[in-house]
Amino acid sequence: MALKRKVKKIFIVSGTVIAMLVLIAFTSKRTAEKPVNDVKVKITRHGDEAFTDQMEVLNLLNAEATDYVLGLSMEELDLKVLEHRVESHPFIKDAQVYKDIKGNLVVSVDQAKPIARIFDQAGPDYYIDVDGYVLPISSRYTARVPIVQLDKFSLNDVNVNYTEYGEKLMGLLLFIQEDPFWKAQIAQVNIFEDGEIVMMPQVTKQDIAFGQPENIVSKFKKLTLFYKDILPNKGWNTYSSVNLKFKNQIICE
């Protein structure tokens, strides 16, 4: 008797599971067959950047008005193709396309975050984002980021991180980006032919001879000391430059 009850219980549980799976499959099929009611665009911005908007994303999704998604069923849509269309925008870092329970097609967009604008004497200006990728200048929005002036010097035109020097430069730019004080204070980074860096501050007048983009933390500690201790005691207009290149030294001229 106990064995029969056990077998009966197993059949009941199995039957319940099968019924649930059938119901889920049926519901999924009906959902897939329903036409798209509306398209909802969600744009994640990092600050006040506005390199794209809802209408532009919709235009990309519809392949420049040649392949409308409204009215089509999920079975007729290739979500990966739609995501690639949206991601073709240079300032869209990632796009996720899916259908919600109300029958809307949702497009979730993560916008790229520039951290520097490059002034290149050999070519057009461009941005680089937090991952080092090169982005074109936008006619829609101008990012408030430090300027990097290249003087007879070049960076990789796809991703700055693809070279050893570029990796070090990214370390410097990210350090500035992530510190509220330095982000507000450093206005321009000049890179010369030998890779040496001179930075221009936003407020004070002293040029900052940084040298190569290395030993970043220790150099900024010396710069902090210069601003907090040296300038208040010696006078804000006493020096025209500060040199941080040499270990354990701050050279003021």
Side-chain angles (χ1 to χ4, degrees):
M1 291 295 291
L3 179 60
K4 287 183 179 180
R5 285 197 297 270
K6 186 174 183 180
V7 171
K8 184 178 180 180
K9 186 177 181 181
I10 291 173
F11 275 117
I12 292 172
V13 172
S14 300
T16 303
V17 171
I18 291 171
M20 289 177 63
L21 291 174
V22 170
L23 180 61
I24 291 171
F26 178 73
T27 303
S28 298
K29 181 171 175 41
R30 288 197 62 183
T31 301
E33 291 173 347
K34 286 182 178 180
V36 174
N37 294 327
D38 196 4
V39 180
K40 304 293 184 180
V41 177
K42 301 178 180 179
I43 301 176
T44 300
R45 293 189 171 94
H46 307 278
D48 61 352
E49 297 97 338
F51 292 106
T52 189
D53 60 19
Q54 181 176 345
M55 291 303 298
E56 191 171 32
V57 172
L58 289 173
N59 198 33
L60 290 167
L61 192 74
N62 292 314
E64 307 293 334
T66 63
D67 188 14
Y68 286 99
V69 300
L70 278 180
L72 297 179
S73 69
M74 288 297 288
E75 289 180 325
E76 297 175 283
L77 296 175
D78 188 328
L79 300 185
K80 287 298 179 184
V81 169
L82 298 180
E83 288 172 354
H84 288 321
R85 286 181 187 176
V86 177
E87 289 172 351
S88 66
H89 191 293
F91 284 94
I92 293 178
K93 181 179 179 180
D94 180 67
Q96 299 292 322
V97 180
Y98 56 92
K99 193 173 183 180
D100 65 17
I101 59 175
K102 295 181 179 179
N104 301 313
L105 193 68
V106 181
V107 187
S108 182
V109 169
D110 186 13
Q111 196 172 236
K113 182 181 180 181
I115 60 169
R117 178 170 179 165
I118 311 299
F119 283 6
D120 189 348
Q121 294 179 345
D125 299 350
Y126 56 90
Y127 292 114
I128 53 175
D129 73 3
V130 291
D131 298 311
Y133 285 102
V134 170
L135 304 172
I137 295 301
S138 171
S139 59
R140 180 184 293 272
Y141 179 81
T142 301
R144 293 189 289 271
V145 291
I147 292 169
V148 176
Q149 175 77 54
L150 303 182
D151 186 358
K152 298 180 181 178
F153 193 89
S154 62
L155 299 168
N156 187 281
D157 60 2
V158 175
N159 189 307
V160 174
N161 284 311
Y162 289 173
T163 65
E164 183 179 356
Y165 183 92
E167 280 189 311
K168 293 178 180 179
L169 176 63
M170 280 299 297
L172 172 61
L173 295 175
L174 287 170
F175 183 92
I176 295 170
Q177 170 70 28
E178 292 166 5
D179 187 291
F181 177 77
W182 297 123
K183 184 179 179 181
Q185 173 67 351
I186 303 301
Q188 184 167 328
V189 176
N190 298 322
I191 306 178
F192 296 94
E193 188 174 9
D194 57 359
E196 293 281 293
I197 289 174
V198 174
M199 298 190 297
M200 315 293 290
Q202 190 78 255
V203 180
T204 58
K205 71 173 191 175
Q206 294 82 14
D207 294 348
I208 304 163
F210 198 85
Q212 296 293 319
E214 52 195 16
N215 302 318
I216 294 168
V217 174
S218 63
K219 287 180 179 178
F220 272 100
K221 283 183 178 178
K222 290 191 288 186
L223 189 56
T224 299
L225 182 65
F226 175 72
Y227 284 136
K228 285 188 174 182
D229 293 342
I230 296 175
L231 285 184
N233 289 317
K234 296 294 185 179
W236 292 94
N237 297 316
T238 302
Y239 305 110
S240 60
S241 67
V242 54
N243 191 327
L244 311 172
K245 294 193 293 183
F246 304 105
K247 187 175 181 180
N248 298 326
Q249 294 184 54
I250 303 174
I251 301 175
C252 307
E253 297 177 333

